[in-house]
């Protein structure tokens, strides 16, 4: 699913999926959608994640911020350690 080259319709659906995941309350393994976000990274996705960072939902702000951080740093692994550090407010230590 997280292939770099997809048809535009598939990319649009996967972008919708990433947005849905960051806007909802955490469910097990949601951080795995970073791989999908990296595959469909675009200005559209970035705008959606920026809006989620500015939302009223603390969860959406946290998760969207982490995804944006990982999109900006493709060499950073998407590990439980990185997620826990982000949630604990230690994102600066990851960079």
């Amino acid at each position: 699913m997280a292939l770099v080259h997809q048809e535009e319709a598939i990319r649009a659906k996967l972008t919708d999926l990433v947005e849905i995941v960051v806007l909802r309350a955490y469910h097990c393994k949601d951080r795995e959608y970073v791989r999908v976000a990296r595959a469909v990274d675009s200005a559209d996705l970035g705008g959606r994640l920026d809006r989620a960072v500015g939302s009223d939902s603390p969860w959406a702000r946290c998760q969207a911020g982490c995804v944006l951080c990982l999109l900006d740093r493709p060499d950073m692994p998407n590990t439980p350690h990185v997620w826990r550090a982000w949630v604990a407010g230690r994102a600066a230590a990851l960079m």
Side-chain angles (χ1 to χ4, degrees):
M1 194 164 73
L3 301 174
V4 175
H5 302 289
Q6 302 103 0
E7 291 182 32
E8 198 54 41
I10 294 171
R11 289 180 64 83
K13 291 291 186 187
L14 291 174
T15 299
D16 291 344
L17 178 66
V18 172
E19 180 182 30
I20 289 166
V21 168
V22 299
L23 291 175
R24 69 184 183 149
Y26 178 76
H27 292 95
C28 184
K29 302 289 184 181
D30 276 0
R31 68 176 185 77
E32 296 301 325
Y33 285 95
V34 170
R35 185 175 34 182
V36 176
R38 284 177 166 165
V40 298
D41 193 12
S42 66
D44 179 35
L45 178 60
R48 293 180 191 208
L49 293 172
D50 284 338
R51 284 190 296 281
V53 167
S55 79
D56 292 337
S57 166
W59 176 256
R61 289 193 306 265
C62 182
Q63 190 162 348
C66 186
V67 172
L68 282 169
C69 175
L70 290 168
L71 288 177
D72 288 343
R73 293 159 188 82
D75 57 316
M76 184 181 296
N78 178 28
T79 62
H81 168 75
V82 169
W83 170 247
R84 285 189 300 270
W86 179 267
V87 171
R90 297 188 311 262
L94 299 173
M95 298 175 207

